Amino acid sequence: MPVAGILPAPDGRRPAADLLVRNAKVFTGDPGRPEARAVAVRDGRVVALGDDHDLAAFVGPATKVVDALGRRVVPGLNDSHLHVIRGGLNYVLELRWDGVRSLRRALAMLREQAGRTPKGQWIRVVGGWTAEQFAERRMPTVAELNAAAPDTPVFVLHLYQSALMNRAAVLAAGFTRETPDPRGGQIVRGRDGEPTGVLLAAPGALVLYSTLAKAPTLDPADQRTSTRHFLRELNRFGLTSAVDAAGGFQNFPDNYATVIDLARSGELSLRIAYHLFPQTAGQELADLRRWTETVRPGDGDEWLRLNGAGENLTWAAADFENFSEPRPELAGDYEAEFEQAVRLLLENGWGFRLHATYDETIRRDLAVFEKLAAEGLFPGGNRWLFDHAETVSGASLDRIAALGGAVSVQNRMSFQGAAFLDRYGAGATSHTPPVRAMLERGLTVAAGTDATRVSSYNPWVSLHWLVTGRTVGGTPLYPAGNLIDRETALGLYTRGGARLTGEEDVKGTLREGCYGDLAILSQDYFTVPEAAIADIEAVLTVVGGRIVYASAEYEGLDEAVPPVSPAWSPVAHFGGYQAAGARQADLMSEAVAESERHRLWRVARGAAPAETAPPFVDPCFTH
């Protein structure tokens, strides 16, 4: 961007920067120098911070100078638990309801998409939304899906709890009255025994994900394009790094081929540290043993590198996180195989991460670790952590600290907090998860989203939750004693993730020698009203000195990406996360008015109380 008053350095004694960001309010994250006005980047690293005058000497004939126009600049964000590899392979196939404020708008999007989706393809809404975000405060019905798309299969995933399918999707998935319920799941049936289109995780989500896996997939060329667009979408929110948590239906090395190819060609716009996750129950130890013999944590480079195993090591040790269902009871004897897996990893120098929602699971895992600690394997220098840990107790946190562990928290309560509150009450909810207690013990804590199948990938929604303690629908969950300030929350999204991958010396802060990863924000995170934190985006994102996302005054400065393919993709028409705008505000007002008319209709028939204090919410749709 041309900037008046900046001229090339008069001599060559100081090598010029590749990029200079000036006239900024820079938050560095470095306690030794927390503020600056300008940042210079050369060869992918920060070479200087200071005032505009101080850094003018870094401007040369080829220096790209960006005027931040007084905006806030922060270190690039790092999502410590994001299913970025799997999400990228499917991104352009998905209709995203992330950020949509009314069900009316969501169904209109679905209806529009049905008109452009070719025969044989599905419309899939896969996570990132909850009924609480809608003005109507309810989920869609199967009848509404049938009306919006009578002939095109529609699959709508709702958290870890359920999925809705229209008639066409039920047929495409092959569900009939004879189809048995899968283990841990339920195919809801009508009076005639036929599937209604509702799938329930009861409590396991396998029925949801295995059904989704029946939908058509992209060919390798389109998977490549899809991944590039997903990474660009993450860059849109200032994300410059992510720790991929692997996950179900993500096989190594097949499903990693796209990001490996992009890394080799220098086309990644996000730094990824990835994990390996055994996919098949019964052969987990064989998979882990094969990996320890062929690859090692740290393999790769600053753009794509192996970080360890997990988030599952053995399937039997993983609990479920459907807060609409009772806490699952795990098998009483999973520890023997689990111990073998952990021992194998530690003896081969591998770190790991573990999916554990409930303290009951965490206590059993810790008992295995303490047994191995007696042999000197803990703490042994290998990075390990618990993911999620919503109901972890203070006693368990003490044990984690003693064993050298860390915790990665995600804002699943932004989307499932109301369900947890209904089941367990305000007392338990007030410290779910106990983030302040983790920090007070000196634990390494990192933050993320667990996107894309539950929470949205928008990190500012997660930061809003950490700071305000509220769900996406505004329900308060936590007292002041379990909230953290904005600077601490940002640290969990920058330095915290870097510590989980052993990169804290080069990532998470803006100081000389660190990666040139930063974001210029649309609003000042430190001064906007709390409610507005979730609406922040980046107007410019830089990774390693490369401008990978640019909007507003900077439009056109970023690197080109190929057009979205296939052309009928929902992303090609709607984009990804739906930012709040005037049209959405109008639609939300219409939805509120319609909801009030519906309430009055029910009052007239005696189906709802006449009081108007809280808007009527049908309890059938609160989860």
Side-chain angles (χ1 to χ4, degrees), residues 343-363:
R343 182 187 298 277
L344 173 66
L345 293 170
L346 294 179
E347 289 179 345
N348 285 277
W350 277 57
F352 59 88
R353 63 192 310 160
L354 283 173
H355 171 109
T357 302
Y358 298 99
D359 190 55
E360 288 80 358
T361 305
I362 292 170
R363 291 200 306 265

Side-chain angles (χ1 to χ4, degrees), residues 83-92 94 226-227 230 250 452:
H83 297 279
V84 61
I85 294 174
R86 184 177 66 194
L89 296 177
N90 299 285
Y91 174 63
V92 301
E94 296 171 355
S226 177
T227 297
F230 185 47
Q250 184 170 314
T452 59

Side-chain angles (χ1 to χ4, degrees), residues 71-201:
R71 289 187 173 104
R72 174 65 65 185
V73 170
V74 297
L77 303 187
N78 185 347
D79 190 320
S80 68
H81 186 120
L82 177 65
H83 297 279
V84 61
I85 294 174
R86 184 177 66 194
L89 296 177
N90 299 285
Y91 174 63
V92 301
L93 291 175
E94 296 171 355
L95 177 65
R96 303 303 306 182
W97 283 355
D98 307 46
V100 175
R101 304 299 176 91
S102 76
L103 179 58
R104 174 189 285 248
R105 172 61 180 157
L107 290 170
M109 293 168 67
L110 198 156
R111 190 176 302 109
E112 286 184 57
Q113 185 57 36
R116 67 175 60 87
T117 302
K119 185 176 178 61
Q121 290 289 343
W122 293 26
I123 302 172
R124 55 202 94 184
V125 179
V126 187
W129 68 280
T130 180
E132 198 185 357
Q133 77 191 45
F134 294 147
E136 299 90 338
R137 313 288 279 195
R138 70 171 180 87
M139 288 175 59
T141 65
V142 170
E144 287 170 324
L145 301 189
N146 286 326
D151 302 313
T152 305
V154 175
F155 178 95
V156 178
L157 178 69
H158 184 233
L159 309 176
Y160 287 125
Q161 300 172 7
S162 60
L164 302 177
M165 306 170 69
N166 67 350
R167 281 188 298 267
V170 171
L171 289 173
F175 290 146
T176 68
R177 64 168 65 230
E178 284 77 32
T179 304
D181 286 343
R183 181 172 175 268
Q186 181 183 353
I187 301 170
V188 178
R189 303 167 198 276
R191 288 187 296 271
D192 58 359
E194 295 291 343
T196 64
V198 177
L199 305 178
L200 298 178

Side-chain angles (χ1 to χ4, degrees), residues 228-236 548 558-559 561:
R228 290 199 65 187
H229 278 274
F230 185 47
L231 299 185
R232 174 64 62 92
E233 174 74 354
L234 298 176
N235 298 148
R236 169 188 166 193
V548 297
D558 49 359
E559 302 168 346
V561 293

